[in-house]
Amino acid sequence: MSGDASYTVTALNGIGDIQPGDDVGQVIADALAATGRELANGDVICVASKIISVAEGRRTALDTITPTECALRLQAQIPRRDARVVQTIIDQTADPTGRRVAVSGDHISGWLPNGLVLTSAGVDSAGPDAVLLLPTDPDASAAGIAAHLRVATGRQVSVIITDSDGRPDKRGATQVAVGVHGITPLRTSHGDETLCDMLAAAAAVMMGQRSAGRPVAIVRGVEYAYDPTARIGDALHDANKIDGRSQR
Amino acid sequence: MSGDASYTVTALNGIGDIQPGDDVGQVIADALAATGRELANGDVICVASKIISVAEGRRTALDTITPTECALRLQAQIPRRDARVVQTIIDQTADPTGRRVAVSGDHISGWLPNGLVLTSAGVDSAGPDAVLLLPTDPDASAAGIAAHLRVATGRQVSVIITDSDGRPDKRGATQVAVGVHGITPLRTSHGDETLCDMLAAAAAVMMGQRSAGRPVAIVRGVEYAYDPTARIGDALHDANKIDGRSQR
């Protein structure tokens, strides 16, 4: 074999059920110790936003939500969705008029205040009676995990927080980045490349969807720009200029 | 290190400039031989559609194209695009009314007859005077490459043809799959996952954008369903049901 450039994606085994109040950085450090896996400087740790949401207590019981007229109007277009879930999606966009929510076919997407456009505005079902919201500040969650791993392992790693998302033309979902720490999310060496999303998708191959029980993957060998001040916003269009692009 | 599952993505060096009439399968076989790299059964070879388009002679000179009224009307919304390029995009959607083309901001997308929705309907610039269209049948191109590599190397590999594409909310581009051979493009073990796009994005990390000169990457170690009849359409929504979803 020649010395061609390559990188590796590995699922981290040993992550059990996450409980509210858990420290996800510690959970990952424990799984590393339990499996005998060592990190290397420069590794990119991809973490499913769902486990961070659970740890951060971002679960909301549906019986605490009263849908507005706007939610009922939108829900009429997608009857299979609960109106209280639709209300939660509207709430996540921070625009009560529903103008930052797009419905087409049986697909609903929401344009978050930071500029991200996600299926269901990142709102996940959490059983029949509750929903799970995105972490409050995924960049901060990523920074906390990286700091914890630095102390626990002595390695400087970057972290990408991922969420599952689909395309309008394809069936199924892949993963995109919703938060970063350490890694510049946009690569610009040969035109603009959404490196954070490429790595989130590469991790998704090993992580699988939520029921697969593999919410963490380690990406090793990718050259990237390290920047401790990197934020997901660096890869997002100006939220004020995106108007119209959210209609999909 | 533990025995956790992992996979590897490697850029294939040694692919030179492609010329019209080249056999891309042979070009890849030559690069493998020149770099001493061996394939393994089950490898997934990701190939940029651009080199196949060039090999297949899918270049069209702009001075052979006369924009219709529809193209001129759409082009007025995105003045930086050449009206003849807009006409080519409309032509790719096979709907002269322009109803399968969506413009928002400075972004134009086209809904292809097979159900794919791509930036510029997959039409690429090829210098100031020409455009490059997608391969005529990317699944067939993938099959041809796999067959060639089987003869040249004795290995049974799968092939994914990739195209660069972006999201409405993020800057930059990643890669999506536009054609497959051998690999079932949708993974359904834990809900529906767009495996073909995950692998296209994973390959993009090593391939880079067009000017990087690395149009082929080898993905090794991913478990997937092998199916010699797999087609990209297996991952696409029914083209008749997608209406409205192409408006993004």
Side-chain angles (χ1 to χ4, degrees), chain A residues 115-186:
Chain A
L116 273 171
V117 178
L118 292 174
T119 301
S120 302
V123 173
D124 241 358
S125 165
D129 303 323
V131 288
L132 201 57
L133 313 181
L134 279 185
T136 311
D137 180 347
D139 288 324
S141 305
I145 293 169
H148 200 114
L149 291 175
R150 175 130 203 187
V151 171
T153 69
R155 305 297 181 187
Q156 182 182 77
V157 299
S158 295
V159 176
I160 295 177
I161 310 298
T162 70
D163 194 29
S164 65
D165 203 52
R167 288 172 52 87
D169 53 352
K170 291 230 177 77
R171 294 162 61 197
T174 174
Q175 283 186 169
V176 297
V178 297
V180 299
H181 178 76
I183 182 168
T184 303
L186 204 67

Coordinates of all heavy atoms in Angstrom, one line a residue, chain A residues 115-186:
Chain A
G115 N -29.6 30.6 12.5 CA -29.4 30.4 11.0 C -29.5 29.0 10.6 O -29.6 28.7 9.4
L116 N -29.5 28.0 11.5 CA -29.6 26.6 11.1 C -31.0 26.4 10.6 O -32.0 26.8 11.3 CB -29.3 25.7 12.3 CG -27.9 25.3 12.5 CD1 -27.8 24.6 13.9 CD2 -27.3 24.4 11.4
V117 N -31.2 25.6 9.6 CA -32.5 25.1 9.1 C -32.5 23.6 9.3 O -31.7 22.9 8.7 CB -32.8 25.5 7.6 CG1 -34.1 24.9 7.2 CG2 -32.7 27.0 7.4
L118 N -33.3 23.1 10.2 CA -33.3 21.7 10.5 C -34.8 21.1 10.4 O -35.7 21.8 10.7 CB -32.8 21.5 11.9 CG -31.4 21.8 12.2 CD1 -31.1 21.7 13.7 CD2 -30.5 20.8 11.4
T119 N -34.8 19.8 10.0 CA -36.1 19.1 10.1 C -36.6 19.3 11.5 O -35.9 19.1 12.5 CB -35.8 17.6 9.8 OG1 -35.2 17.5 8.5 CG2 -37.1 16.8 9.9
S120 N -37.9 19.6 11.6 CA -38.6 19.8 12.9 C -37.9 20.8 13.8 O -38.0 20.7 15.0 CB -38.8 18.5 13.6 OG -39.5 17.6 12.8
A121 N -37.1 21.7 13.2 CA -36.3 22.6 14.0 C -35.5 21.9 15.1 O -35.2 22.5 16.2 CB -37.2 23.7 14.7
G122 N -35.1 20.7 14.8 CA -34.3 19.9 15.8 C -35.1 19.3 16.9 O -34.5 18.7 17.8
V123 N -36.4 19.4 16.9 CA -37.2 18.8 17.9 C -37.4 17.4 17.6 O -37.8 17.0 16.6 CB -38.6 19.5 18.0 CG1 -39.5 18.8 19.0 CG2 -38.4 21.0 18.3
D124 N -37.1 16.6 18.6 CA -37.1 15.1 18.5 C -38.3 14.6 19.3 O -38.6 15.1 20.4 CB -35.8 14.5 19.0 CG -35.1 13.7 18.0 OD1 -35.5 13.6 16.9 OD2 -34.0 13.2 18.3
S125 N -38.8 13.5 18.9 CA -39.8 12.8 19.8 C -39.1 12.1 20.9 O -38.0 11.6 20.7 CB -40.6 11.8 18.9 OG -41.3 10.9 19.8
A126 N -39.7 12.1 22.1 CA -39.1 11.4 23.2 C -40.2 10.6 23.9 O -40.7 11.0 24.9 CB -38.5 12.4 24.2
G127 N -40.6 9.6 23.2 CA -41.8 8.8 23.6 C -43.0 9.5 23.2 O -43.0 10.6 22.6
P128 N -44.2 8.9 23.6 CA -45.5 9.5 23.1 C -45.9 10.8 23.8 O -46.7 11.5 23.3 CB -46.5 8.4 23.5 CG -45.8 7.6 24.6 CD -44.3 7.7 24.4
D129 N -45.3 11.1 24.9 CA -45.8 12.2 25.8 C -44.8 13.4 25.9 O -45.0 14.3 26.6 CB -46.1 11.7 27.2 CG -47.1 10.6 27.2 OD1 -48.0 10.6 26.3 OD2 -46.9 9.6 28.0
A130 N -43.7 13.3 25.2 CA -42.6 14.3 25.4 C -41.8 14.6 24.2 O -41.8 13.7 23.2 CB -41.7 13.9 26.6
V131 N -41.2 15.7 24.1 CA -40.2 16.0 23.0 C -38.9 16.4 23.7 O -38.8 16.7 24.8 CB -40.7 17.2 22.1 CG1 -41.9 16.7 21.2 CG2 -41.1 18.4 23.0
L132 N -37.9 16.3 22.8 CA -36.5 16.6 23.3 C -36.0 17.8 22.4 O -36.1 17.7 21.1 CB -35.7 15.4 23.1 CG -34.4 15.2 23.9 CD1 -34.6 15.3 25.4 CD2 -33.7 13.9 23.5
L133 N -35.6 18.9 23.0 CA -35.1 20.0 22.2 C -33.6 19.9 22.0 O -32.9 19.2 22.8 CB -35.4 21.3 23.0 CG -36.9 21.4 23.5 CD1 -37.1 22.8 24.2 CD2 -37.9 21.3 22.4
L134 N -33.1 20.6 21.1 CA -31.6 20.7 20.9 C -31.0 21.2 22.1 O -31.6 21.9 22.9 CB -31.3 21.7 19.7 CG -31.4 21.1 18.3 CD1 -30.9 22.2 17.3 CD2 -30.6 19.9 18.1
P135 N -29.7 20.9 22.3 CA -29.0 21.5 23.4 C -29.1 23.1 23.3 O -29.2 23.6 22.2 CB -27.5 21.1 23.2 CG -27.6 19.8 22.4 CD -28.9 20.0 21.6
T136 N -29.1 23.7 24.5 CA -29.3 25.2 24.5 C -28.2 25.9 23.6 O -28.5 26.8 22.9 CB -29.1 25.7 25.9 OG1 -30.0 24.9 26.8 CG2 -29.6 27.2 26.0
D137 N -27.0 25.5 23.8 CA -25.9 26.1 23.0 C -24.9 25.0 22.6 O -23.9 24.7 23.4 CB -25.2 27.2 23.9 CG -24.0 27.9 23.2 OD1 -23.6 27.4 22.1 OD2 -23.5 28.9 23.7
P138 N -25.1 24.4 21.5 CA -24.3 23.2 21.1 C -22.8 23.5 21.0 O -22.0 22.7 21.4 CB -24.8 22.8 19.7 CG -26.2 23.3 19.7 CD -26.2 24.6 20.5
D139 N -22.4 24.8 20.7 CA -21.0 25.1 20.7 C -20.4 25.0 22.1 O -19.3 24.5 22.3 CB -20.7 26.5 20.2 CG -21.0 26.7 18.7 OD1 -20.6 25.8 17.9 OD2 -21.5 27.7 18.3
A140 N -21.2 25.5 23.1 CA -20.7 25.5 24.5 C -20.7 24.0 25.0 O -19.8 23.6 25.7 CB -21.7 26.3 25.3
S141 N -21.7 23.2 24.5 CA -21.6 21.8 24.9 C -20.4 21.1 24.4 O -19.7 20.3 25.1 CB -22.9 21.1 24.4 OG -24.1 21.7 24.8
A142 N -20.0 21.4 23.1 CA -18.8 20.9 22.5 C -17.6 21.3 23.3 O -16.7 20.5 23.5 CB -18.8 21.3 21.0
A143 N -17.5 22.6 23.6 CA -16.4 23.1 24.4 C -16.2 22.4 25.7 O -15.1 22.1 26.1 CB -16.5 24.6 24.5
G144 N -17.3 22.2 26.4 CA -17.3 21.5 27.7 C -16.8 20.1 27.5 O -16.0 19.6 28.4
I145 N -17.2 19.4 26.5 CA -16.7 18.0 26.3 C -15.2 18.0 26.0 O -14.5 17.2 26.6 CB -17.5 17.3 25.2 CG1 -19.0 17.1 25.6 CG2 -16.9 16.0 24.8 CD1 -19.9 16.7 24.5
A146 N -14.8 18.9 25.1 CA -13.4 19.0 24.8 C -12.5 19.3 26.0 O -11.5 18.7 26.2 CB -13.1 20.0 23.7
A147 N -13.0 20.2 26.9 CA -12.3 20.6 28.1 C -12.2 19.4 29.0 O -11.1 19.1 29.6 CB -12.9 21.8 28.8
H148 N -13.3 18.7 29.1 CA -13.3 17.5 30.0 C -12.3 16.4 29.5 O -11.6 15.8 30.3 CB -14.7 16.9 30.1 CG -14.9 16.1 31.3 ND1 -15.8 16.4 32.4 CD2 -14.4 14.9 31.7 CE1 -15.7 15.5 33.3 NE2 -14.9 14.5 32.9
L149 N -12.3 16.2 28.2 CA -11.5 15.1 27.7 C -10.0 15.6 27.8 O -9.1 14.7 27.9 CB -11.9 14.8 26.2 CG -13.2 14.1 26.1 CD1 -13.6 14.0 24.6 CD2 -13.2 12.8 26.7
R150 N -9.8 16.8 27.7 CA -8.4 17.3 27.8 C -7.8 17.0 29.2 O -6.7 16.5 29.4 CB -8.3 18.8 27.6 CG -7.0 19.4 27.8 CD -6.5 20.3 26.7 NE -5.1 20.4 26.7 CZ -4.4 21.2 25.8 NH1 -5.1 21.9 25.0 NH2 -3.1 21.2 25.9
V151 N -8.7 17.2 30.2 CA -8.3 16.9 31.6 C -8.1 15.4 31.8 O -7.2 14.9 32.4 CB -9.3 17.5 32.6 CG1 -9.0 17.0 34.0 CG2 -9.3 19.0 32.6
A152 N -9.1 14.6 31.3 CA -9.2 13.2 31.5 C -8.1 12.4 30.7 O -7.7 11.4 31.2 CB -10.6 12.7 31.2
T153 N -7.8 12.9 29.5 CA -6.9 12.1 28.7 C -5.6 12.8 28.4 O -4.7 12.2 27.8 CB -7.6 11.8 27.3 OG1 -7.7 13.0 26.6 CG2 -9.0 11.2 27.6
G154 N -5.5 14.1 28.6 CA -4.3 14.9 28.2 C -4.2 15.2 26.8 O -3.2 15.7 26.3
R155 N -5.2 14.9 26.0 CA -5.2 15.1 24.6 C -6.1 16.3 24.2 O -7.1 16.6 24.8 CB -5.8 13.9 23.8 CG -5.1 12.6 24.1 CD -3.6 12.6 23.7 NE -3.0 11.3 24.0 CZ -1.7 11.1 24.0 NH1 -0.9 12.0 23.6 NH2 -1.2 9.9 24.3
Q156 N -5.6 17.1 23.2 CA -6.4 18.2 22.7 C -7.2 17.7 21.5 O -6.6 17.4 20.4 CB -5.5 19.3 22.3 CG -6.3 20.5 21.8 CD -5.4 21.6 21.3 OE1 -4.8 21.6 20.2 NE2 -5.2 22.6 22.1
V157 N -8.5 17.6 21.7 CA -9.4 17.1 20.6 C -10.4 18.2 20.2 O -10.6 19.1 21.0 CB -10.1 15.8 21.0 CG1 -9.1 14.7 21.3 CG2 -11.1 16.0 22.1
S158 N -10.9 18.0 19.0 CA -12.1 18.9 18.6 C -13.3 18.1 18.8 O -13.3 16.9 18.8 CB -11.9 19.4 17.2 OG -10.7 20.2 17.1
V159 N -14.5 18.8 18.9 CA -15.8 18.1 19.0 C -16.8 18.7 18.1 O -16.8 19.9 17.8 CB -16.3 18.3 20.5 CG1 -17.7 17.7 20.7 CG2 -15.3 17.7 21.5
I160 N -17.5 17.8 17.4 CA -18.7 18.2 16.6 C -19.9 17.6 17.2 O -20.0 16.4 17.5 CB -18.5 17.8 15.1 CG1 -17.3 18.4 14.5 CG2 -19.8 18.0 14.3 CD1 -17.0 18.0 13.1
I161 N -20.9 18.5 17.4 CA -22.2 18.0 17.9 C -23.1 17.8 16.6 O -23.2 18.7 15.8 CB -22.9 19.0 18.8 CG1 -22.0 19.5 19.9 CG2 -24.2 18.4 19.4 CD1 -21.5 18.4 20.8
T162 N -23.7 16.6 16.5 CA -24.4 16.3 15.3 C -25.9 16.2 15.5 O -26.4 15.9 16.6 CB -23.9 14.9 14.7 OG1 -24.3 13.9 15.5 CG2 -22.4 14.9 14.5
D163 N -26.7 16.4 14.5 CA -28.1 16.1 14.5 C -28.5 15.4 13.2 O -27.9 15.7 12.2 CB -28.9 17.4 14.7 CG -30.4 17.2 15.1 OD1 -30.6 16.1 15.7 OD2 -31.2 18.0 14.7
S164 N -29.5 14.6 13.3 CA -29.9 13.9 12.0 C -30.7 14.8 11.2 O -31.5 15.6 11.8 CB -30.6 12.6 12.3 OG -31.8 12.8 13.0
D165 N -30.6 14.8 9.9 CA -31.3 15.6 9.0 C -31.4 15.0 7.6 O -30.5 14.3 7.3 CB -30.7 17.0 9.0 CG -31.6 18.1 8.5 OD1 -32.7 18.2 9.1 OD2 -31.3 18.9 7.6
G166 N -32.4 15.4 6.9 CA -32.5 14.8 5.6 C -32.5 15.8 4.5 O -32.3 17.0 4.7
R167 N -32.6 15.4 3.2 CA -32.7 16.2 2.1 C -34.1 16.1 1.5 O -34.7 15.1 1.6 CB -31.7 15.8 1.0 CG -30.2 16.0 1.3 CD -29.3 15.3 0.3 NE -29.7 15.7 -1.1 CZ -29.2 16.7 -1.8 NH1 -28.4 17.5 -1.2 NH2 -29.6 17.0 -3.0
P168 N -34.5 17.1 0.7 CA -35.9 17.0 0.2 C -36.0 15.9 -0.8 O -37.1 15.4 -1.0 CB -36.1 18.4 -0.4 CG -34.8 19.0 -0.6 CD -33.9 18.4 0.5
D169 N -34.9 15.6 -1.5 CA -35.1 14.6 -2.6 C -34.9 13.2 -2.2 O -35.3 12.2 -2.8 CB -34.2 15.0 -3.8 CG -32.7 15.1 -3.4 OD1 -32.4 15.1 -2.2 OD2 -31.9 15.2 -4.3
K170 N -34.1 12.9 -1.1 CA -33.7 11.6 -0.8 C -34.5 11.0 0.4 O -34.9 11.8 1.4 CB -32.2 11.5 -0.5 CG -31.4 11.8 -1.7 CD -30.3 10.7 -1.8 CE -29.4 10.9 -3.1 NZ -28.5 12.0 -3.0
R171 N -34.7 9.8 0.5 CA -35.3 9.1 1.6 C -34.2 8.9 2.7 O -33.0 8.9 2.4 CB -35.8 7.7 1.2 CG -37.0 7.8 0.2 CD -37.3 6.5 -0.5 NE -37.6 5.4 0.4 CZ -37.5 4.1 0.1 NH1 -37.1 3.8 -1.2 NH2 -37.8 3.2 0.9
G172 N -34.6 8.8 3.9 CA -33.7 8.6 5.0 C -33.0 9.9 5.4 O -33.3 11.0 4.9
A173 N -32.2 9.7 6.4 CA -31.5 10.9 7.0 C -30.0 10.6 7.1 O -29.5 9.5 7.0 CB -32.0 11.1 8.4
T174 N -29.3 11.7 7.1 CA -27.8 11.6 7.4 C -27.6 12.5 8.6 O -28.5 12.7 9.4 CB -27.0 12.1 6.2 OG1 -25.6 12.1 6.5 CG2 -27.5 13.4 5.6
Q175 N -26.4 12.9 8.9 CA -26.2 13.8 10.0 C -25.5 15.1 9.5 O -24.7 15.1 8.6 CB -25.2 13.2 11.1 CG -25.9 12.1 11.9 CD -25.0 11.6 13.0 OE1 -25.5 10.9 13.9 NE2 -23.7 11.9 13.0
V176 N -25.8 16.2 10.2 CA -25.2 17.5 10.0 C -24.7 18.0 11.3 O -25.1 17.5 12.4 CB -26.1 18.5 9.3 CG1 -26.6 18.0 8.0 CG2 -27.3 18.8 10.2
A177 N -23.8 19.0 11.2 CA -23.2 19.6 12.4 C -24.1 20.7 13.0 O -24.6 21.5 12.2 CB -21.8 20.1 12.1
V178 N -24.3 20.7 14.3 CA -25.1 21.8 14.9 C -24.2 22.6 15.9 O -24.7 23.6 16.4 CB -26.4 21.3 15.5 CG1 -27.3 20.7 14.4 CG2 -26.2 20.3 16.6
G179 N -23.1 22.1 16.2 CA -22.2 22.8 17.1 C -20.8 22.2 16.9 O -20.6 21.1 16.5
V180 N -19.8 23.1 17.2 CA -18.4 22.7 17.1 C -17.6 23.3 18.2 O -17.9 24.3 18.7 CB -17.8 23.1 15.7 CG1 -18.5 22.5 14.5 CG2 -17.7 24.6 15.6
H181 N -16.4 22.6 18.5 CA -15.4 23.3 19.3 C -14.0 22.8 18.7 O -13.8 21.6 18.5 CB -15.4 22.9 20.7 CG -14.3 23.5 21.5 ND1 -14.3 24.8 21.9 CD2 -13.1 23.0 21.9 CE1 -13.2 25.1 22.5 NE2 -12.4 24.0 22.5
G182 N -13.2 23.8 18.5 CA -11.8 23.5 18.1 C -11.6 23.4 16.6 O -10.6 23.9 16.1
I183 N -12.6 22.9 15.8 CA -12.4 22.7 14.4 C -13.1 23.8 13.6 O -14.3 24.0 13.9 CB -12.9 21.3 14.0 CG1 -12.6 21.1 12.4 CG2 -14.3 21.0 14.3 CD1 -12.8 19.6 12.0
T184 N -12.4 24.4 12.7 CA -13.0 25.4 11.9 C -14.0 24.7 11.0 O -13.6 23.8 10.2 CB -11.9 26.1 11.0 OG1 -11.0 26.7 11.9 CG2 -12.5 27.2 10.2
P185 N -15.3 25.1 11.0 CA -16.3 24.3 10.4 C -16.3 24.3 8.9 O -16.9 23.5 8.2 CB -17.6 24.8 11.0 CG -17.3 26.2 11.4 CD -15.9 26.2 11.8
L186 N -15.7 25.4 8.3 CA -15.7 25.6 6.9 C -14.2 25.4 6.4 O -13.3 26.0 7.0 CB -16.2 27.0 6.5 CG -16.8 27.3 5.2 CD1 -18.1 26.5 5.0 CD2 -17.0 28.8 5.0

